[in-house]
């Protein structure tokens, strides 16, 4: 292929990618710009350039308890990701390695449950947590991820392609118990899937608004989505402070995806194909 043809072909790949990238970055730019302006300046449309109210807006959200909301979101999302990965990997390991009666039914049930919107079970889950005395705590926000149908399904798809049965049999012959085999052989073989699922659950938990707003009423227990919602009075919204809060809230997500992007891409591509 000669150079002009190669250049034209690359041009038609790069231009659409550049356009999509610019469109994706524009909202984030305006959020950062909002963080540097007062609400009055934002209403006047002065958000195309950066302002001088960043320190003032950060001071406002800190005084409003944003650091506490930030910590609540961090450890809630962290433990949600760990719990979901561990339980999903255990269940997927059982469905992949063992052949037992009812295995097909379990797999079908998991796939079928993915079709049910999570909002349908919110009322029943809220009543259950209230009866257990767990309302106004972060435990319900973490426990819900212990039964992730998508997590199990995703892990099963990955294990079927990446977990050699011969290694499992060799470990059993050497006298290794099942849990030790799972930890020492199973987990290392599915690191991309573990990293991918952890990042997805962390993101979903971090951005979750509906469940915390239903189960948490104490301001000291608020997570970031609810905390940002409180940056208002009875008559006005402090959009500058909200912009600062949103800008800071995005930082952990960017860090996690920057660190684990390799595992994320590999996990999605490998787990998307069954064969």
């Amino acid at each position: 292929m000669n150079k002009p043809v190669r250049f034209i072909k690359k041009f038609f790949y790069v231009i659409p990618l550049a356009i999509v990238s610019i469109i994706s970055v524009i909202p984030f730019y305006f959020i950062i710009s909002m963080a540097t302006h007062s609400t009055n300046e934002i209403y006047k449309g002065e958000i195309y350039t950066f302002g001088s109210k960043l320190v003032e807006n950060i001071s406002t959200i800190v005084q409003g308890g944003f650091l506490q909301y930030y910590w609540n979101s961090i450890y809630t999302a962290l433990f949600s990701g760990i719990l979901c990965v561990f339980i999903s990997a255990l269940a997927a390991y059982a469905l992949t390695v063992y052949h037992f009666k009812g295995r097909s039914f379990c797999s079908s049930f998991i796939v079928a449950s993915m079709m049910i919107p999570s909002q349908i079970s919110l009322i029943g889950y809220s009543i259950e947590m209230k009866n257990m005395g767990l309302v106004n705590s972060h435990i319900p926000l973490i426990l819900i991820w212990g039964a992730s149908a998508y997590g199990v399904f995703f892990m099963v798809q990955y294990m079927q392609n990446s977990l050699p049965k011969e290694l499992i049999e060799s470990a059993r012959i050497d006298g290794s118990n099942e849990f030790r085999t799972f930890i020492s052989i199973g987990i290392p073989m599915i690191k991309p899937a573990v990293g991918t699922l952890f990042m997805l659950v962390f993101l979903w938990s971090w951005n979750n608004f509906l469940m915390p707003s239903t189960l948490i009423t104490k301001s000291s227990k608020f997570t970031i989505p609810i905390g940002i919602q409180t940056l208002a009075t009875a008559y006005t919204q402090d959009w500058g402070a909200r912009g600062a809060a949103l800008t800071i809230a995005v930082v952990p997500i960017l860090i996690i995806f920057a660190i684990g992007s390799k595992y994320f891409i590999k996990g999605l591509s490998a787990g998307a194909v069954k064969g």
Side-chain angles (χ1 to χ4, degrees), residues 86 90 93 176-189:
F86 185 70
L90 278 174
Y93 182 82
S176 175
N177 60 57
E178 293 299 323
F179 186 74
R180 182 180 177 184
T181 303
F182 168 74
I183 295 296
S184 59
I185 296 179
I187 294 297
M189 296 295 295

Side-chain angles (χ1 to χ4, degrees), residues 69-225:
Y69 308 152
Y70 207 80
W71 167 246
N72 293 341
S73 288
I74 285 178
Y75 87 80
T76 299
L78 182 64
F79 282 108
S80 296
I82 293 174
L83 179 65
C84 181
V85 167
F86 185 70
I87 299 298
S88 299
L90 278 174
Y93 182 82
L95 291 172
T96 303
V97 173
Y98 301 113
H99 297 275
F100 54 90
K101 187 176 181 180
R103 177 189 177 197
S104 298
F105 172 78
C106 290
S107 299
S108 301
F109 179 79
I110 290 171
V111 174
S113 63
M114 292 172 59
M115 305 176 187
I116 303 175
S118 58
Q119 292 82 358
I120 293 178
S121 61
L122 180 60
I123 296 177
Y125 185 72
S126 300
I127 295 173
E128 182 182 8
M129 293 298 104
K130 181 179 179 180
N131 293 334
M132 295 175 65
L134 296 178
V135 175
N136 278 323
S137 72
H138 297 127
I139 295 178
L141 308 183
I142 298 173
L143 284 181
I144 191 69
W145 295 105
S148 173
Y150 173 79
V152 177
F153 175 79
F154 177 76
M155 285 291 188
V156 167
Q157 301 307 306
Y158 194 92
M159 283 188 179
Q160 287 178 343
N161 300 321
S162 305
L163 187 61
K165 306 299 189 301
E166 294 80 6
L167 288 179
I168 304 299
E169 294 298 331
S170 299
R172 290 172 177 171
I173 293 173
D174 291 338
S176 175
N177 60 57
E178 293 299 323
F179 186 74
R180 182 180 177 184
T181 303
F182 168 74
I183 295 296
S184 59
I185 296 179
I187 294 297
M189 296 295 295
I190 59 169
K191 281 184 179 180
V194 169
T196 300
L197 184 60
F198 176 82
M199 285 189 288
L200 289 174
V201 174
F202 188 96
L203 175 62
W204 294 334
S205 176
W206 185 268
N207 293 330
N208 192 1
F209 176 82
L210 181 60
M211 187 167 293
S213 63
T214 304
L215 295 171
I216 296 178
T217 57
K218 291 183 179 179
S219 60
S220 61
K221 301 291 184 179
F222 284 170
T223 54
I224 284 179

